[in-house]
């Protein structure tokens, strides 16, 4: 299993000199599983991923966590949608395909990407067997879990060679303790990637917005006996130095658990 982070920023892309280290693109994760190309979320990070894939692969599976703009906005600029030999299987979140379709011109007098969805050269369709809560991708069993987020979101667990890998973004863990169903979902993860947008001291005004602080993500990873925690969905207003400070705080409390912050271009082979 090979993972590459193409977008690690939450809420909105935040390019600029202060985000060069951890990255300014919004959520996009590339997984190479058993020879298959799987992409989780189509944030702005999917644009450079598309350039890397163009002409090299003919099929990708695109799994969507939910329909907020920072997780969809990159699709119109994903170059493979203009490749007539490309097939894109869209799954995960219910109505993911309908959510992506809404980004494109539909004939109504409203804003939208100027090329109509139905005129895109690539074949973009619902992937078979991708209904939650579980399905298989080659040698991998994939499970989903509902998350705590306004309008909902889903996490993914990939069991198979190199795994388990768990990817949970846009999830607010409650202050009173980690939910048992998520502990089970993350149990024994070799790598747990989790929303760590905030510092614990920042959570007050952001309760109910659907994101977590590093301390609650750490508690989940420890309760589930995960081997490694990678914090992601970095706040758009947080500079590289501030993300590093957040990470340093988390590491002071992590004991034997390895903790990192996701960075654009980070590659893991597990
Ligand atoms: Zn988000
Ligand atoms: Zn969201």
């Amino acid at each position: 299993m090979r993972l590459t982070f193409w977008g690690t920023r939450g809420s909105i892309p935040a390019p600029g000199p202060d985000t060069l280290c951890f990255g300014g693109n919004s959520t996009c994760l590339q997984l190479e599983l058993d020879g298959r190309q799987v992409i989780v979320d189509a944030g702005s990070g999917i644009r450079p991923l598309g350039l890397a894939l163009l002409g090299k692969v003919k099929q990708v599976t695109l799994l969507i966590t939910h329909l907020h703009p920072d997780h969809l906005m990159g699709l119109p600029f994903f170059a493979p949608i203009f490749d007539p030999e490309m097939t894109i299987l869209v799954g995960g979140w219910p109505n993911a395909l309908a959510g992506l379709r809404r980004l494109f011109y539909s004939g109504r007098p409203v804003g939208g990407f100027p090329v109509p969805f139905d005129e895109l050269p690539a074949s973009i369709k619902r992937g078979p067997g991708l209904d939650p809560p579980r399905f298989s991708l080659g040698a991998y069993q994939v499970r989903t879990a509902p998350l705590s987020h306004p309008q909902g979101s889903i996490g993914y667990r990939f069991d198979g060679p190199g795994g388990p890998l768990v990817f949970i973004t846009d999830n607010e863990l409650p202050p009173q303790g980690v939910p048992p169903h998520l502990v089970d979902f993350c149990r024994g993860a070799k790598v747990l990637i989790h929303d760590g947008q905030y510092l614990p001291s920042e959570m007050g005004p952001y309760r109910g917005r659907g994101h977590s602080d590093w301390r609650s993500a750490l508690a989940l990873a420890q309760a589930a006996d995960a081997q490694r925690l990678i914090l992601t969905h970095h706040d758009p207003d947080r500079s590289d130095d501030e993300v590093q400070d957040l990470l340093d705080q988390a590491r002071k409390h992590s004991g034997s658990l390895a903790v990192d912050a996701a960075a654009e271009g980070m590659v893991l082979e597990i």
Side-chain angles (χ1 to χ4, degrees), residues 66 68 70-71 149 170:
H66 65 307
H68 283 161
D70 52 320
H71 300 261
H149 195 62
D170 295 59

Side-chain angles (χ1 to χ4, degrees), residues 156-171:
Y156 291 94
R157 177 183 173 115
F158 300 84
D159 281 287
L165 166 72
V166 180
F167 180 74
I168 294 179
T169 189
D170 295 59
N171 181 47

Side-chain angles (χ1 to χ4, degrees), residues 13 15 48 93 251:
W93 180 256
R251 282 176 170 165

Side-chain angles (χ1 to χ4, degrees), residues 30-208:
Q30 178 192 16
L31 303 176
E32 291 161 88
L33 304 177
D34 200 20
R36 289 163 192 261
Q37 289 286 342
V38 178
I39 301 169
V40 185
D41 280 348
S44 66
I46 204 172
R47 186 195 62 80
L49 170 56
L51 298 176
L53 293 177
L54 195 62
K56 299 191 182 115
V57 301
K58 294 296 167 204
Q59 181 172 306
V60 299
T61 299
L62 173 59
L63 302 177
I64 298 295
T65 61
H66 65 307
L67 299 182
H68 283 161
D70 52 320
H71 300 261
L72 303 182
M73 59 171 53
L75 191 75
F77 300 92
F78 182 53
I81 65 174
F82 297 101
D83 177 357
E85 294 182 27
M86 189 74 181
T87 298
I88 302 170
L89 303 172
V90 178
W93 180 256
N95 301 321
L97 197 51
L100 291 170
R101 181 181 280 269
R102 280 203 296 270
L103 297 170
F104 295 82
Y105 176 67
S106 63
R108 292 189 299 272
V110 292
F113 190 67
V115 180
F117 186 86
D118 291 330
E119 291 180 17
L120 294 174
S123 171
I124 306 175
K125 53 193 179 186
R126 185 161 180 77
L130 290 181
D131 288 311
R134 61 181 66 208
F135 50 89
S136 59
L137 287 171
Y140 289 83
Q141 292 298 311
V142 186
R143 278 194 281 153
T144 64
L147 303 176
S148 174
H149 195 62
Q151 303 167 318
S153 181
I154 54 175
Y156 291 94
R157 177 183 173 115
F158 300 84
D159 281 287
L165 166 72
V166 180
F167 180 74
I168 294 179
T169 189
D170 295 59
N171 181 47
E172 182 171 342
L173 292 163
Q176 62 270 26
V178 291
H181 80 280
L182 280 187
V183 176
D184 286 344
F185 187 70
C186 300
R187 179 90 58 204
K190 191 173 278 181
V191 175
L192 167 61
I193 303 165
H194 196 283
D195 181 330
Q197 183 157 346
Y198 296 119
L199 300 167
S201 58
E202 294 172 329
M203 280 305 293
Y206 294 110
R207 281 277 164 222

